[in-house]
Amino acid sequence: MHHKPLFIGLDIGTSRAKAVLLTSEGQVIGRSKFPYSQLVTSSEGIEQNAEEWWTATRSLIRDLSQQVPEGYEISALCFSTQGGSLVLTDHEGKPLSPAVIWQDQRGLPYRDMLLQEVTAESVHAKTGWSLGKGLNLLQIIRIRETDPSAFEKAAYFLSVPDFLALRLTGRPAVDCSNAGINQLMDVRRQAWDEDLLRAARIQSSQLPDIVPSGEIVGTLLPDVARDLNLNASVQLVSGGHDQYCAALGAGVIHEGDRLIGTGTAWVMLAASHELKTHPKDRKAFSRHTVKDLWGHMVSLGSGGYSLEWIRSALAIRGDQSFSLMSFQEMDQIVSKRISDANRPYYHPYLTGCPYPPNSEKAMASFTRLAPYHDRFDMVASVMEGVAMQVSWMWEAFADITPPTRPVIMTGGASSSKIWRQILADCLNQPIVVPSEPEIGCLGAAMLAGIGTGTFKDSEEAVSQMTEPVQTVLPDDRTEMMQERFNEFKRIQEKLR
C-alpha cells in the first residue's frame, strides 16, 4: 500500500520545544509541545541540560507518531533551532557539561584575548555576526581557560542542531545559518575558518559537517527509529536557525521581503539576493534557508524576555491565584492603558542595544515615571518600548531593497492583539500575521519536504501552504504613538 508522506518540523527554542506534522498538501494535522527549564548559574551565566533537548525531541516525535492518520507515514524530520548555544560532548554525543545558552554573558572577559589574534571586524566579515560574548567562539575560549579538563576531553564542540543530528543519525551536521552564528564558519565559503579555529585552539574534526538547509543529513539509526516508533528509512533534513525557518514558513522568500520574528529575542530580517555589508554595519547576515538567498538581520535579545522579566520582577499575579498573571489577562489590561499618552517609557536593553550604532553599553531603564503610574502602566510601556526599538531598527535596512509587501510578524507576540497593534502603530504601516502560530516548525517541515523531493523548491513549498493570514492596520492611536516614538528616540540618544 502506498502511503502519503508526512513531515515533522521541530523547533528547539530557548524556553520550550514544539513540533508540527505537515502533509504534502500544506496542511498541519498534528501539533505537540514540550517545556523545559533553564539553569541560571550566576548573574551572567545561563545554562541548560542538553539532554533536555534530546528528551524534548523524543517526546515530540513520539507524540506526533501517534497522530498519523491512516494512509500516511512520516518520511522526514527537520529542525528549527535557537542559535549560538554550545555543548561539549564525547564521540557518542554525551554532554560533558551543561550547555551554554546564547544569552550567557561570561565570554566577555575573553574578548581581548581573542582580539590579539583576530579582529572584531574580521569575525563579523567572515561569520556574519558581530563578536558575541554569548556565542560559541568566545565561550569555547572561556571554557579552555577556566575548565581545561572539559576542554581537553571534548570530542565535539556542538550546537543544538548538530547535537541532535548526532543523536538521531550518528552524524553531527549543522546548517549554514546556525554555523555562522557559532562564529567559526566563513559564511561565504560555507566552510570552517582556519584563523578562527586556530584562535579557539580546536580542530575542524571537532566540529560538525556543514550541510546546507534542505539537504539530507542521513537516515535514523535503527535503535533510534525503534525508540521513536518510526521506520528506519525516515530521513533527517538539514534545517536552520529559528528565524530563518520562520522566514521560510511565513513566505519571506523574495527580494525585499521582511520579517519581524518574536520570541525571547525579537528580530527584524530582510531577504536579499545580494549580500550587502559594510565594516561599520550593525546587521548580522547569513545564508537563508532558501537556496541562493541571503538574510540580513538585527536582533533585540530582550524583546519577549522583557515582558517575562517585568511579569516576574513585579510579581504580577492574578486576583484568584498565587500564580503569575497570564499574558492574556495582561493583554486585556494593557489594551485599556495604551491610549494614555502620559505613560512612562521603557528602553528594552536588558541584554544590550543593537541599534543605533555606538549603543553597545546601553542598559534597560524606565524614564518619565510618575507617582500615579502603576505596574500595569509599566507593563504597557514594556510592550510599547520593545515595539518602538524594533521600529527604530528599521532604519538599519536603508541599504536593502525596500519591501513591496507588508512586513510579516511571527512568533509568540504575534498572538497578542494589543502588541501587534502597537507594532503597526509604531511602524505606521500594516503588518501581516500568519494564522499558523508555530511558523518556525512549519518552515522546518517545509524543508523536510524540499529535502525529500516532495516540494521542488521553496516557491512550490510556499505555494502549497493553506494557512490564512490576518492584516493589522495602523489605527487612530498612530499619531500619538508616532509622537511618543520620536520622544523615545530623543530620550535614548540623550542617555547614550
Side-chain angles (χ1 to χ4, degrees), residues 45-321:
I46 302 178
E47 298 178 340
Q48 279 180 335
N49 181 357
E51 289 291 349
E52 286 196 89
W53 302 337
W54 177 237
T55 299
T57 297
R58 292 172 67 226
S59 175
L60 292 169
I61 294 174
R62 284 173 166 178
D63 187 15
L64 290 178
S65 71
Q66 300 301 313
Q67 300 180 42
V68 175
E70 186 176 353
Y72 289 84
E73 66 178 0
I74 296 168
S75 63
L77 318 170
C78 186
F79 286 102
S80 161
T81 67
Q82 57 172 290
S85 296
L86 172 70
V87 58
L88 280 59
T89 78
D90 64 14
H91 283 287
E92 285 69 45
K94 181 180 179 181
L96 302 177
S97 56
V100 184
I101 301 306
W102 57 272
Q103 295 165 303
D104 191 292
Q105 305 291 294
R106 289 174 291 172
L108 181 60
Y110 303 91
R111 178 184 171 95
D112 289 343
M113 181 181 296
L114 174 65
L115 294 183
Q116 293 175 14
E117 303 187 52
V118 297
T119 66
E121 291 77 13
S122 69
V123 173
H124 180 261
K126 289 178 177 181
T127 70
W129 292 81
S130 297
L131 185 57
K133 52 196 173 186
L135 304 181
N136 300 41
L137 176 56
L138 280 180
Q139 293 289 2
I140 289 172
I141 294 173
R142 175 185 68 80
I143 293 171
R144 186 188 77 202
E145 297 298 314
T146 61
D147 193 355
S149 176
F151 180 83
E152 293 296 332
K153 290 178 181 177
Y156 292 119
F157 295 85
L158 303 178
S159 56
V160 180
D162 26 317
F163 170 78
L164 294 172
L166 178 58
R167 287 293 187 88
L168 287 166
T169 70
R171 179 191 183 190
V174 67
D175 61 277
C176 295
S177 57
N178 273 302
I181 196 172
N182 294 343
Q183 303 213 294
L184 294 164
M185 185 190 79
D186 185 322
V187 71
R188 291 176 177 82
R189 295 190 300 111
Q190 300 183 67
W192 300 118
D193 183 80
E194 290 300 325
D195 292 337
L196 298 177
L197 266 59
R198 190 178 305 112
R201 309 290 190 268
I202 61 175
Q203 306 295 319
S204 59
S205 60
Q206 295 175 287
L207 294 172
D209 297 337
I210 298 171
V211 180
S213 300
E215 295 189 8
I216 299 294
V217 172
T219 55
L220 301 184
L221 294 169
D223 59 334
V224 171
R226 286 191 296 270
D227 177 59
L228 298 177
N229 301 317
L230 296 178
N231 192 301
S233 64
V234 171
Q235 295 177 306
L236 176 66
V237 174
S238 185
H241 180 253
D242 50 13
Q243 297 299 343
Y244 285 95
C245 283
L248 172 59
V252 179
I253 62 172
H254 301 107
E255 179 79 26
D257 285 353
R258 296 195 185 181
L259 172 84
I260 294 177
T262 68
T264 302
W266 280 37
V267 305
M268 180 172 285
L269 185 153
S272 175
H273 286 293
E274 182 182 355
L275 178 59
K276 298 179 180 180
T277 63
H278 187 277
K280 296 183 179 180
D281 199 346
R282 299 301 301 167
K283 297 189 294 295
F285 58 89
S286 175
R287 300 270 176 177
H288 200 304
T289 50
V290 177
K291 188 176 181 180
D292 299 327
L293 200 63
W294 291 92
H296 299 78
M297 190 164 77
V298 181
S299 303
L300 176 63
S302 54
Y305 183 45
S306 288
L307 192 60
E308 292 272 11
W309 164 76
I310 196 69
R311 185 173 70 137
S312 299
L314 297 184
I316 298 177
R317 305 184 186 278
D319 293 337
Q320 306 299 322
S321 172

Side-chain angles (χ1 to χ4, degrees), residues 9 21 33 150 195 221 254 286 337 391 395 476-477:
L21 194 59
K33 295 184 179 181
D195 292 337
L221 294 169
H254 301 107
S286 175
R337 302 292 183 96
S391 299
E395 298 173 2
D476 55 8
R477 286 183 291 243

Side-chain angles (χ1 to χ4, degrees), residues 414-456:
S414 67
S415 63
S416 165
K417 290 184 179 180
I418 188 60
W419 214 345
R420 64 197 192 197
Q421 185 63 62
I422 292 170
L423 181 61
D425 292 342
C426 288
L427 286 172
N428 194 20
Q429 60 180 283
I431 60 173
V432 168
V433 181
S435 64
E436 171 53 55
E438 309 304 348
I439 205 74
C441 295
L442 179 61
M446 292 162 67
L447 284 171
I450 293 169
T452 55
T454 299
F455 305 130
K456 182 179 68 174

Side-chain angles (χ1 to χ4, degrees), residues 307-349:
L307 192 60
E308 292 272 11
W309 164 76
I310 196 69
R311 185 173 70 137
S312 299
L314 297 184
I316 298 177
R317 305 184 186 278
D319 293 337
Q320 306 299 322
S321 172
F322 288 106
S323 61
L324 292 176
M325 180 176 287
S326 71
F327 291 112
Q328 290 78 11
E329 291 175 291
M330 290 169 62
D331 264 16
Q332 293 173 5
I333 297 173
V334 168
S335 65
K336 298 174 183 177
R337 302 292 183 96
I338 203 66
S339 297
D340 181 4
N342 294 315
R343 282 175 291 103
Y345 291 91
Y346 171 68
H347 306 271
Y349 313 131

